[in-house]
Amino acid sequence: HQELMRAIIVPGNGCTDVHAANWYAWLERRLNQDGRFEEVVLRTMPDPVRARRAVWIPFLLSLGADCQCVLIGHSSGAVAAMRLLEDQRLGGAVLVSACHSDLGEPSEAAAGYYPPSGGDWLWTQMRANAGAAGGNIRVLHSDNDPFIPLSEAQHVAEKLDVQLNVAPGHSHFFEPYEGLVEAVYSVLIEGEQQALQSSSANGADKIHRT
């Protein structure tokens, strides 16, 4: 019997009440109604405005971000998910409105995620840690995001060697969007399949060795 995965929704910065912001509570309700996850976690983050890496990454780990978990990150939350994936295996990740540079914003540079101060991006490790077999990542972006150009997400998807899903006219994803649900379930299904294949392979290996 395979354990159900958990979902963690990681908001963008500036959200002092995540349940009143953007599509987060809508997605939490949708995923809970469908019952395909063991639990759907949506919490207002500590340090919500500055969204510092040194605060957010430990907090995500304290929420149980592990190999039985799909992380759904938006904006700063997507960037936090990327850095977390460098060191922590997850079941998979959905990156919404992600970027790889601070876009010249001093407040973003100070958050500690971006090169040069945050260190180089470890794309290979990120990909390897997404799912039991790796690569279980979806990147979503709009073609008219006023804050993060599409080229940022194109770079992320290219470096991770995953597909980029472009949602025309969805700005910075402030509103509920059905494509989010589809992306989450796509990652969930692949994550479950990878976990199953991995445990079967481990089981066969044990039998072979005994």
Side-chain angles (χ1 to χ4, degrees):
H1 175 68
Q2 193 176 7
E3 278 181 65
L4 288 179
M5 290 212 177
R6 301 165 65 250
I8 300 178
I9 301 168
V10 192
N13 66 354
C15 299
T16 48
D17 175 9
V18 285
H19 284 89
N22 303 323
W23 41 264
Y24 311 137
W26 168 83
L27 184 63
E28 179 192 33
R29 274 195 307 275
R30 275 293 295 274
L31 299 181
N32 273 324
Q33 279 165 7
D34 293 344
R36 290 168 68 177
F37 284 100
E38 177 75 30
E39 181 187 14
V40 182
V41 179
L42 174 61
R43 299 273 189 281
T44 294
M45 301 294 283
D47 194 35
V49 177
R50 287 192 288 176
R52 284 167 300 175
R53 178 181 181 178
V55 178
W56 277 32
I57 299 291
F59 184 69
L60 291 176
L61 289 169
S62 78
L63 294 179
D66 62 16
C67 62
Q68 278 295 112
C69 171
V70 171
L71 223 60
I72 303 138
H74 177 227
S75 201
S76 294
V79 177
M82 287 158 62
R83 283 300 189 188
L84 181 65
L85 270 169
E86 293 181 339
D87 300 308
Q88 172 66 46
R89 185 173 299 282
L90 300 174
V94 180
L95 307 176
V96 187
S97 309
C99 57
H100 66 93
S101 74
D102 60 30
L103 296 165
E105 289 283 340
S107 61
E108 293 292 343
Y113 297 103
Y114 304 100
S117 61
D120 290 339
W121 289 108
L122 306 179
W123 303 109
T124 307
Q125 286 94 312
M126 240 184 270
R127 181 181 165 82
N129 280 332
N136 190 20
I137 300 169
R138 306 292 178 276
V139 180
L140 258 68
H141 215 85
S142 170
D143 61 355
N144 67 338
D145 189 315
F147 305 117
I148 302 173
L150 183 57
S151 58
E152 289 277 314
Q154 285 167 334
H155 182 86
V156 170
E158 192 178 304
K159 289 290 187 182
L160 291 172
D161 193 22
V162 297
Q163 189 181 340
L164 169 64
N165 296 339
V166 180
H170 278 274
S171 182
H172 194 57
F173 290 93
F174 296 115
E175 303 293 328
Y177 170 55
E178 208 56 41
L180 283 168
V181 180
E182 290 165 19
V184 170
Y185 286 142
S186 167
V187 166
L188 173 64
I189 290 163
E190 187 177 334
E192 287 174 337
Q193 287 171 345
Q194 286 192 12
L196 206 57
Q197 285 162 357
S198 171
S199 63
S200 302
N202 289 342
D205 190 44
K206 284 193 188 107
I207 293 162
H208 183 65
R209 276 194 264 172
T210 50

